[in-house]
Amino acid sequence: MRIGIVDYDAGNLTSVETALRRIGADFFTTADPDAIFEADRVVFPGVGEARAAMEVLNARGLSEALRRYADSGRLILGICVGAQVILDASDERDVSCLALIPGRARRFPVSELKVPQIGWNGVEHDNQALFAGVPSGGEFYFVHSYYPAPAETRDTIGWTEYGVRFASAFRRDNVYAVQFHPEKSGPYGLRVLTNFITMKEQ
Amino acid sequence: MLRKRVIVCLDVRDGKTTKGIKFSENVDIGDPVEMAETYYREGVDELVFYDITASAERRGIMLDVVRRVAERIFVPFAVGGGIASVDDMRAVLLAGAEKVSVNSQAVRNPDIISTGAMRFGAQCIVLAMDVKADPRVPSGYRVVIDGGRVETELDARDWARRAVELGAGEIVVNSIDTDGVKNGYEITLTRMISEAVGVPVVASGGAGVPEHLREVLVDGKADAALVASMVHFGEYSIPTIKQYLQTHGVSVRASAAPF
């Protein structure tokens, strides 16, 4: 099982690489749209801003490549901004995204809560394979100002409360997305990454 | 619900963890990488490493520490001390740190906050401020730099607000008056800063017993509390602190078995 990490200048990939190394994954990192097809599964991280991320993905032909990769039926895992841009669009400077799953990333509403959300929060989940070995409500590490809002309720597989109850994990067929940072979420995070590279396609 | 964080702080000098009281009388207390791994296994939520290495030539040692820490712990950590440029920030982030912390350098050159935030994102940029009670400034607290030795003209509340406008994603408020004396955090100061800014505030300086953390996380409205001596010398462990907090109404992350 060979994992491809998509590199598109959207922040630091070191921690994702280090986490995959720790769990014994066979992986490579690439910015080449053709090279991702050599991967059995793709991890698609990202920090920063959705619009900046999309500009780089479009300019390098990676948007098209990721759409084709998704069509091939192989598994994709988007992380943080990588999860948000899997949706149709983001409120962050109103940018069109990859549209692999219907929905959009929304700004947290103005409230007493601090934005960005930074820190550990619980993820309630419905025991899908991605969360095997993690109790529902187990904590993961979040850093974000926008949250994923998939259009269809049935696509959500993990829920987190921060002023609003939002989809901290969602999935349609072979495309998975998590708003939290599994690579920085301690034992549960490593567990989720392990599940992603070992689970059967379903 | 977002959990309150317990952060362990390690001062690192020439590659060794060290601990001083009120910025003096430092003694070496262990290997930062091994200590970090122990705290990680115990369920610490985050770590911060301050490089207090005196000579610039030996700074490379710190980057090596950062790299080795990143290979062994899978929770976020910040690195501060001697970060004077965007290149310094980049080096630390590429070595595997999640965040960089700026202090005196940001007072001298506030642009480092905005440039860093633009380049790496506000979530990466932590402003740490050393603060001293001083009735001569409007908020009653003055910013000091260079380990507390030099007074500035800055009012602590104004500086916190300004730093957030410039792009700081988090503020660490360290009280020079309470640091190292284990009588509790500066609650009034922490609460004032937390109410003044819309980003998370980390309380620092003065933790001696778990109740001190409860006080600053609840009454002081801090989002996270930094501890050092109380865990470094084995008086308390991360699980005992968290258990205390949880049973006293503060929501913290449960520890997970190592994976």
Side-chain angles (χ1 to χ4, degrees):
Chain A
M1 180 69 65
R2 202 123 195 264
I3 308 299
I5 303 176
V6 184
D7 176 8
Y8 58 109
D9 288 347
N12 194 346
L13 299 179
T14 314
S15 51
V16 172
E17 293 172 333
T18 313
L20 289 183
R21 200 173 299 126
R22 165 70 164 247
I23 60 174
D26 174 19
F27 68 92
F28 64 95
T29 301
T30 182
D32 177 349
D34 295 325
I36 69 171
F37 291 91
E38 289 161 26
D40 300 309
R41 288 180 186 180
V42 156
V43 174
F44 175 46
V47 293
E49 212 214 17
R51 176 174 285 270
M54 283 311 302
E55 280 167 4
V56 179
L57 290 170
N58 291 335
R60 295 200 183 155
L62 283 163
S63 296
E64 195 40 46
L66 283 163
R67 288 191 189 102
R68 281 196 292 126
Y69 191 90
D71 285 343
S72 79
R74 284 175 276 181
L75 303 193
I76 297 182
L77 177 66
I79 296 174
C80 193
V81 169
Q84 295 175 6
V85 300
I86 276 175
L87 297 167
D88 294 324
S90 170
D91 282 354
E92 189 162 25
R93 294 202 283 148
D94 203 24
V95 62
S96 292
C97 298
L98 295 171
L100 301 179
I101 298 177
R104 64 187 289 134
R106 298 189 186 284
R107 172 92 188 171
F108 279 120
V110 176
S111 74
E112 284 175 10
L113 295 172
K114 294 179 175 183
V115 175
Q117 166 172 232
I118 299 184
W120 298 82
N121 204 334
V123 175
E124 281 171 47
H125 63 78
D126 54 5
N127 293 305
Q128 293 219 8
L130 189 67
F131 287 106
V134 178
S136 180
E139 294 94 344
F140 290 83
Y141 187 75
F142 290 84
V143 180
H144 61 130
S145 300
Y146 294 79
Y147 65 90
E152 313 262 353
T153 319
R154 64 185 164 90
D155 293 334
T156 300
I157 61 171
W159 293 262
T160 295
E161 196 87 45
Y162 192 66
V164 294
R165 185 171 153 88
F166 70 92
S168 48
F170 54 104
R171 172 223 173 164
R172 180 172 284 193
D173 304 325
N174 55 319
V175 180
Y176 289 77
V178 292
Q179 178 57 56
F180 52 81
H181 286 274
E183 75 281 12
K184 285 287 168 184
S185 292
Y188 292 157
L190 295 179
R191 188 78 204 218
V192 163
L193 289 172
T194 305
N195 291 339
F196 177 73
I197 64 174
T198 57
M199 68 190 185
K200 291 197 183 76
E201 290 178 32
Q202 44 195 312
Chain B
M1 189 170 113
L2 189 64
R3 312 297 194 253
K4 299 283 190 179
R5 283 171 283 158
V6 176
I7 302 176
V8 168
C9 170
L10 297 109
D11 289 338
V12 180
R13 185 177 60 186
D14 298 335
K16 290 269 191 294
T17 311
T18 179
K19 184 64 199 164
I21 294 167
K22 289 209 175 192
F23 293 98
S24 58
E25 305 163 44
N26 281 58
V27 285
D28 287 351
I29 54 172
D31 172 47
V33 182
E34 282 169 23
M35 291 174 75
E37 192 167 24
T38 303
Y39 293 128
Y40 169 67
R41 290 184 181 283
E42 286 185 357
V44 75
D45 298 316
E46 196 166 325
L47 289 149
V48 56
F49 299 85
Y50 289 120
D51 183 11
I52 59 165
T53 303
S55 64
E57 310 87 74
R58 310 194 70 172
R59 283 276 154 69
I61 299 173
M62 189 62 185
L63 284 180
D64 184 51
V65 169
V66 175
R67 264 180 232 111
R68 288 188 293 133
V69 167
E71 279 165 16
R72 285 158 76 166
I73 74 160
F74 297 90
V75 294
F77 66 96
V79 174
I83 306 280
S85 67
V86 168
D87 284 343
D88 292 341
M89 290 180 172
R90 187 202 316 278
V92 161
L93 295 172
L94 281 179
E98 213 60 27
K99 309 174 185 182
V100 288
S101 175
V102 288
N103 190 328
S104 306
Q105 297 294 348
V107 171
R108 292 198 183 87
N109 173 24
D111 285 348
I112 193 175
I113 300 174
S114 42
T115 321
M118 236 179 304
R119 180 68 188 83
F120 308 111
Q123 80 287 341
C124 286
I125 311 298
V126 180
L127 176 82
M129 50 198 262
D130 293 323
V131 175
K132 215 173 193 168
D134 186 342
R136 293 172 296 161
V137 290
S139 74
Y141 294 94
R142 184 188 293 276
V143 176
V144 294
I145 55 171
D146 297 337
R149 291 187 300 270
V150 179
E151 280 195 355
T152 72
E153 292 304 306
L154 295 170
D155 177 278
R157 186 171 49 198
D158 292 347
W159 177 228
R161 285 188 178 134
R162 169 101 196 285
V164 172
E165 277 167 23
L166 288 168
E170 198 160 56
I171 307 274
V172 176
V173 186
N174 182 54
S175 165
I176 293 291
D177 304 310
T178 59
D179 187 40
V181 289
K182 297 181 139 193
N183 279 332
Y185 298 91
E186 237 286 17
I187 305 294
T188 313
L189 165 70
T190 309
R191 185 184 180 114
M192 177 184 78
I193 302 294
S194 192
E195 287 174 345
V197 298
V199 301
V201 167
V202 182
S204 165
V209 296
E211 171 60 14
H212 292 152
L213 283 90
R214 193 204 60 78
E215 274 170 11
V216 85
L217 293 168
V218 177
D219 306 335
K221 296 193 171 180
D223 298 278
L226 218 125
V227 295
S229 314
M230 69 182 283
V231 291
H232 290 338
F233 300 111
E235 265 175 281
Y236 293 94
S237 67
I238 299 298
T240 54
I241 294 171
K242 284 195 164 183
Q243 199 171 17
Y244 179 89
L245 293 172
Q246 194 70 53
T247 55
H248 289 78
V250 182
S251 177
V252 292
R253 175 172 75 109
S255 54
F259 180 77

